[in-house]
Amino acid sequence: MMYSPQIAEHIANPRNVGELESPSGVGDVTNDVCLDRIRLTVRVERERLTDARVKASGCPPTIAAASVLTELIIGRSLEEIQSLTRKDIADALGHLPPAKAHCTALAIDALRAAIEGFTT
C-alpha cells in the first residue's frame, strides 16, 4: 500500500509523542474492530490549547493521524478546535486509502474526549 508523502513523513517522524504531566484533559480511545489506540493529553490555558502529546498504536495511518492531529491543534483556540473534522485530518495527510478512514475518526474521537470538559 502506497501512502502519501505526508503520511510517510508522520510515520517516520511522529510529532509530539509522549504524555503531558498533569494534563488539562485526556482522550484515550480504541477502535473496537482493529484495536488501534490513540491516547491524547492536552493542556488548555485561557481557552487555548497550548500543548499536546500523543501515544498511538496500531496501523501506520493511525500513528500518522495522531501525529498530524497534534500539529493541527497546538496553539489553537478551543472554538477553532471544536470545528476540526475528520476531513481536516485526512486533508493534512494527503491521500488516505478509504480502508484507513477510521484512523481520522479515531483521532477526532481522542480530541473530543480530551477537550470534553472544556467545551459546552
Side-chain angles (χ1 to χ4, degrees):
M1 182 179 302
M2 290 292 296
Y3 295 124
S4 70
Q6 296 94 320
I7 292 175
E9 171 58 28
H10 280 277
I11 292 167
N13 301 296
R15 312 318 193 262
N16 303 301
V17 174
E19 197 160 336
L20 294 173
E21 288 188 31
S22 303
S24 304
V26 177
D28 195 341
V29 296
T30 302
N31 180 303
D32 293 334
V33 176
C34 64
L35 301 180
D36 286 1
R37 179 180 179 197
I38 296 176
R39 179 176 173 84
L40 176 69
T41 55
V42 298
R43 180 159 296 119
V44 176
E45 298 172 8
R46 296 187 186 119
E47 300 294 315
R48 187 165 295 280
L49 196 144
T50 58
D51 203 0
R53 294 289 178 270
V54 69
K55 290 183 175 181
S57 60
C59 67
T62 290
I63 294 165
S67 174
V68 82
L69 172 68
T70 64
E71 290 191 324
L72 292 173
I73 62 175
I74 292 174
R76 286 185 147 181
S77 71
L78 288 175
E79 185 177 328
E80 291 173 307
I81 290 167
Q82 280 183 295
S83 66
L84 201 64
T85 67
R86 294 165 50 167
K87 184 180 181 318
D88 294 323
I89 293 174
D91 288 349
L93 290 173
H95 173 72
L96 186 66
K100 297 299 181 180
H102 69 278
C103 301
T104 61
L106 197 61
I108 290 295
D109 290 348
L111 175 61
R112 299 285 178 253
I115 66 170
E116 189 174 333
F118 300 100
T119 59
T120 54

